[in-house]
Amino acid sequence: FQLYADCSIHFKIPPTVFYPQPKVDSALIGLHFLGPSQLRARLAGVNPVNLRSVVTSTFQQRRKTVRNGLKPLALTVFGGDKERVKEFLDGAPCPLPRCVEEAREAGDKFALSQKLPDDWAKKRPEELTPGQFVEITRMLYGPNDGDGGGESQLNNKVWRKLKHGAN
């Protein structure tokens, strides 16, 4: 949800208000979903379908590093070229796009967490922010060159499967 909505914790709810009392604390959260123009700015040229494939492949196997989770996808994207895959996984992160830098200067909380650390491939997926997954997708697939593909993808629900059949 952090990619498609601004999330906030309104207040914590103690276990004493429930019967029977749970052994966990609760909280009331708020989700403010972004409109298409805000989402387009947050994705900064990344195709949502490509982002989904990156997130899915990195989280597919438990306790794997980002490097090990992305290797099969990178081999597919780079047409089996192991040297390009190695460069991608060992390379330094690309500089942030100008629109993201401008959002960082304006204090956008999402953009402030978008810069990848130098050792991004050695981290586990749960250690990265949603914005960092956008940057990994940009590094792997490149930015959407304004061909309109990203525009039409924003209107589709890329995170849901169809009722009958694959997505």
Side-chain angles (χ1 to χ4, degrees), residues 73-87:
L73 179 63
L75 278 169
T76 303
V77 170
F78 293 131
D81 186 353
K82 292 182 180 180
E83 189 60 38
R84 284 185 67 194
V85 171
K86 185 172 176 8
E87 286 176 22

Side-chain angles (χ1 to χ4, degrees), residues 14-86:
T16 55
V17 299
F18 298 103
Y19 183 81
Q21 286 187 12
K23 295 179 182 171
V24 296
D25 290 328
S26 302
L28 180 68
I29 62 167
L31 301 173
H32 178 74
F33 286 93
L34 304 174
S37 61
Q38 292 170 307
L39 181 57
R40 206 171 295 111
R42 193 169 269 192
L43 292 177
V46 169
N47 188 327
V49 173
N50 294 342
L51 176 64
R52 179 183 180 181
S53 67
V54 167
V55 171
T56 301
S57 64
T58 54
F59 279 101
Q60 203 151 20
Q61 295 178 341
R62 291 186 52 197
R63 303 299 298 156
K64 291 252 183 186
T65 60
V66 173
R67 167 191 299 283
N68 292 335
L70 277 181
K71 198 177 288 183
L73 179 63
L75 278 169
T76 303
V77 170
F78 293 131
D81 186 353
K82 292 182 180 180
E83 189 60 38
R84 284 185 67 194
V85 171
K86 185 172 176 8

Side-chain angles (χ1 to χ4, degrees), residues 153-166:
Q153 293 297 332
L154 287 178
N155 295 329
N156 296 336
K157 293 176 174 67
V158 297
W159 295 100
R160 293 185 184 169
K161 292 198 180 212
L162 299 174
K163 271 193 169 185
H164 303 287

Side-chain angles (χ1 to χ4, degrees), residues 46 54 70 77-78 84 87-95 116-118 120-121 132-143:
V46 169
V54 167
L70 277 181
V77 170
F78 293 131
R84 284 185 67 194
E87 286 176 22
F88 164 68
L89 293 173
D90 293 338
C94 296
L116 278 172
D118 289 334
W120 64 271
Q132 290 171 334
F133 279 103
V134 171
E135 290 309 307
I136 292 171
T137 306
R138 184 186 329 284
M139 287 173 52
L140 183 59
Y141 288 97

Side-chain angles (χ1 to χ4, degrees), residues 83-140:
E83 189 60 38
R84 284 185 67 194
V85 171
K86 185 172 176 8
E87 286 176 22
F88 164 68
L89 293 173
D90 293 338
C94 296
L96 293 172
R98 186 173 44 86
C99 60
V100 175
E101 287 292 349
E102 290 170 359
R104 287 171 65 95
E105 290 170 8
D108 183 344
K109 197 166 74 170
F110 185 85
L112 288 171
S113 68
Q114 204 159 341
K115 187 168 175 56
L116 278 172
D118 289 334
D119 63 343
W120 64 271
K122 295 177 183 168
K123 299 225 181 252
R124 300 208 185 276
E126 61 270 14
E127 296 176 304
L128 299 176
T129 66
Q132 290 171 334
F133 279 103
V134 171
E135 290 309 307
I136 292 171
T137 306
R138 184 186 329 284
M139 287 173 52
L140 183 59

